[in-house]
Amino acid sequence: KGLTAEIPEGGVVDALREARGRKPSAFIILKGDKKTKYGAMADVMDAFAEANALRFNLMTEMKTDQKPH
């Protein structure tokens, strides 16, 4: 089972460290969409690096007018 959480700005490092402490092998998935500002994503990825969470997946939503390959 996965855990989905919205983490307040400035709380990413602590949240990652806590989650990794509970389950070091957990997958980290960062979800964004076309409305997500580049700076916000860069800030989150910097926090990932600070928390030593260097392996993660980026997830987006497929456009509804396109079919999967």
Side-chain angles (χ1 to χ4, degrees):
K1 264 188 170 178
L3 170 67
T4 302
E6 287 192 28
I7 301 168
E9 190 173 334
V12 175
V13 174
D14 290 338
L16 282 170
R17 287 180 177 156
E18 181 183 324
R20 285 289 167 131
R22 286 192 311 266
K23 187 171 182 183
S25 63
F27 287 96
I28 298 171
I29 302 171
L30 177 59
K31 184 177 180 183
D33 61 22
K34 67 181 180 181
K35 297 176 194 170
T36 305
K37 296 185 189 283
Y38 174 81
M41 293 295 280
D43 290 346
V44 171
M45 289 190 285
D46 287 344
F48 282 12
E50 186 178 335
N52 201 29
L54 304 177
R55 294 188 66 169
F56 59 91
N57 296 297
L58 294 174
M59 183 173 125
T60 61
E61 292 186 16
M62 188 182 320
K63 290 182 180 181
T64 56
D65 61 335
Q66 292 182 346
K67 295 180 183 178
H69 293 81

